Every structure is written in structure tokens, then in C-alpha cells.
Amino acid sequence: MPVPEHLSSLTADPAFWAAYLPPAGEPPPGHHAELRLPLPVAGGYGLVLDVDLAYGECQLGLRQPGATEPVPLSRLDAGRPFAAVLRWAELDLIGRVVALDDPAWPHPGLLVALLHRYAPPADEAGETDRAATMLATALRALRRADGGDSDGHGGTASEPAGPQQPPLALFTDPSWWPAPVTADPQIFDDDAVAQRVRDHLDHGEQVRWRYAAGWGWVTAGNTPDGGTPARAPGAESFPFDGVTELVRRAADRHRRLLDTPWRRAPGVAPLARRIRDRGDLAAVPSLADALQAAGCDHPTVLDALTEPVVPAEAAWVVDALSGIVPADDGGR
């Protein structure tokens, strides 16, 4: 699914992100944005994000086959900016599937930036570190609003500051029409990215995931704001079976999307596994060469492995080529 035009223009607006991702403990600035973003994942299952910043509310829903409206998963507002709805591995899986389906959604990027509020990382060093790296990469991918020349992720050009046609000769004196103000392309600076990552990890430290027979993956304990998490045992309104099926189908689709001749070519998967086992991404350009020689033309896969290498982008592709599927744990 291509990125909707309305969303593209919004996400190039620093004011949108200031309202959608306000600093913890601070009231969000006002914004009029209102949108519904459907995110098809697999087999008629998907997610739907409803944003109404005029009321300061955002709701994530689950789309199921045959349903006319999504089932609500969690509603966020200024007093509750995070929710434990998806495990981080589930968000990673969904991001991969969407990116493999449509190169307009690079991973980690816009999808992670929009949905990380619903996916606190578990209190485990490995996942916490991975989530921090992925989230920082996703937020930095949004930094330029002038076409994305520096990071290749694209964007919407800034509105021109000044006349859009040459002025009449009478008005060419600089004192009459000052030089256009240089548009600031920064949506998040490094300090803002770091703070946002810390806020998210602080929230995740207070969330525990466990597998409960008859329910599936659930959160244990209270949320940081003292409330009861939506995905907790006994929450009758939460669609446990639907989320489990969404994740199962996403894992199956992940496998099918990579069941290609170029992924099965001799040398591709073994090289990916060696890179992963050594924890050294220096050889990923060689992996890109091997894929191209095998006929791979998938821009998401090749871009992630082409210099300059962005670790969070390359790592998930290496994992995928190694046969690793996040959240593929058989329900446990």
C-alpha cells in the first residue's frame, strides 16, 4: 500500500510530530490533523491507526476479514501516551512484511515511528538494545522535510518562503522583498531523538510480557500511569485470538515474501548467517552483490545492504535472509 498523499504531507511537517510525539510529561501542542491509516498485513488482517490531534487522541485497531470496522486495541491521549498492545517483536515483524510488500515503507521508518507507542520493548537487554536502535533509526529517517536527499527515504518539499514567480523589476530591490527564509529540514534533532528513545525505553521497563494459557501473550502488572493494560488476562474487550492470528499470518507471509530464487541461491543464506553469527556488518555489501548476481531486484532488500550501511536497516534484512522471523515462537 503506497503511503497516502495526506500522510506524506503530514509527516513532513514538524508541527505534526510535535503534537503526535510530545515529550513525556508535557502537554502536546495543538494540531488539526485527522486521518485514518489502514495497514494491510496478511490474509485480510491488518492494523488501522486513527489519529485525531484536535482532540489529542489516537486509536489503534485490528482489521479482520469480513469486518466493516476495526476492533479497538487501545486509545491513547495526552495522559496516556503509551500502551502495551503489541510486543516489540510483533511490531518488527509487521514492519518487515509491510516493507517487503511495498518499498514505499522502508523499515524501520515511518511505520515504527507511528506505532512504537503501542509496542514497549520487554525488560530484556537484547530486545531493549535492538528496540532503541530501531526506534532511533526510524525517527532519524523523518528528519528531513525537503525531499530526503540526505537519507534516501523521501519526503515532501517544504513550502516556498517568498514569491513563487519572479517579481516585477520595481520590486527586485532586496529591501522590498527580503531573501526567503531558509527552511529548517530538521523534524527531530539528535537530542529530541535520544529523549524520545529514553521515554519509550522507560515505559518498556515497567511492562512485562508472559504467555498465559488460553489467552496468549499478555502483559503482567500495571502500566506506568497506574492503569490496567489492554492486553491483560481477563480483558474481555481485547481481541486476543485476532491479534494471535494476525501475527501468525504475518509470519507466514514473511516466509512467502522471501521464498524467492535469489534468496535460495547458493551462498546467500550461508553468507547472511555468517554475518549474523559474527555480529559484524562489514560484509553486507558482499551480500548485496551476491543477491544481485542471483537476480534480486527488491529495492528494500538491496538498499538496506548497500553502502552507506545503516545498521538497523541492514540487520533485519540479514536476519530475514538467515531465515529468522521475529515473533515466530509458536505462541510462546
Side-chain angles (χ1 to χ4, degrees):
M1 180 199 75
V3 179
E5 183 178 350
H6 179 51
L7 179 60
S8 293
S9 62
L10 274 179
T11 54
D13 178 10
F16 168 78
W17 291 107
Y20 185 76
L21 301 176
E26 296 183 19
H31 201 283
H32 65 277
E34 182 178 354
L35 66 91
R36 166 166 282 196
L37 176 63
L39 293 164
V41 178
Y45 285 83
L47 298 173
V48 178
L49 179 65
D50 285 302
V51 176
D52 189 348
L53 293 184
Y55 288 94
E57 294 181 345
C58 304
Q59 178 168 285
L60 187 65
L62 171 70
R63 176 78 74 186
Q64 300 181 87
T68 57
E69 283 294 316
V71 179
L73 295 177
S74 185
R75 182 184 297 275
L76 303 181
D77 54 36
R80 194 166 73 104
F82 296 103
V85 174
L86 298 171
R87 292 185 294 150
W88 185 266
E90 293 167 353
L91 176 58
D92 184 12
L93 171 61
I94 291 167
R96 292 185 185 194
V97 170
V98 171
L100 290 169
D101 256 336
D102 190 335
W105 291 85
H107 177 65
L110 181 56
L111 186 143
V112 170
L114 289 169
L115 298 188
H116 76 271
R117 303 170 70 187
Y118 299 91
D123 187 24
E124 301 173 1
E127 181 165 278
T128 299
D129 292 345
R130 184 181 183 89
T133 302
M134 288 181 64
L135 179 54
T137 300
L139 295 176
R140 289 196 179 100
L142 306 171
R143 288 178 61 172
R144 292 188 64 82
D146 62 352
D149 292 338
S150 70
D151 62 14
H153 287 293
T156 301
S158 303
E159 289 296 322
Q164 298 185 47
Q165 297 179 354
L168 297 175
L170 176 65
F171 305 131
T172 54
D173 188 296
S175 64
W176 175 262
W177 192 281
V181 176
T182 301
D184 180 8
Q186 301 299 320
I187 290 178
F188 293 111
D189 59 22
D190 283 340
D191 289 342
V193 169
Q195 183 60 54
R196 188 68 201 172
V197 171
R198 283 194 296 270
D199 289 345
H200 190 52
L201 297 186
D202 287 347
H203 170 69
E205 285 181 357
Q206 302 178 63
V207 175
R208 304 289 184 274
W209 290 101
R210 67 182 180 86
Y211 188 81
W215 298 99
W217 284 101
V218 298
T219 54
N222 294 327
T223 59
D225 61 8
T228 301
R231 195 169 168 177
E236 295 181 359
S237 63
F238 191 86
F240 291 96
D241 291 343
V243 171
T244 298
E245 185 65 11
L246 165 72
V247 175
R248 186 190 71 78
R249 289 178 181 249
D252 287 345
R253 179 138 186 82
H254 184 279
R255 293 188 193 90
R256 291 198 302 274
L257 287 167
L258 286 168
D259 185 16
T260 61
W262 45 262
R263 195 264 173 180
R264 296 192 299 270
V268 169
L271 177 55
R273 288 192 205 94
R274 285 199 299 273
I275 292 171
R276 187 180 187 279
D277 291 344
R278 294 172 183 172
D280 184 356
L281 296 175
V284 295
S286 299
L287 181 58
D289 291 342
L291 285 166
Q292 287 181 292
C296 175
D297 61 355
H298 196 296
T300 300
V301 173
L302 295 177
D303 287 352
L305 303 177
T306 302
E307 295 181 301
V309 173
V310 178
E313 295 178 358
W316 80 262
V317 174
V318 170
D319 276 358
L321 295 173
S322 301
I324 295 171
V325 182
D328 183 23
D329 45 27
R332 295 185 183 277

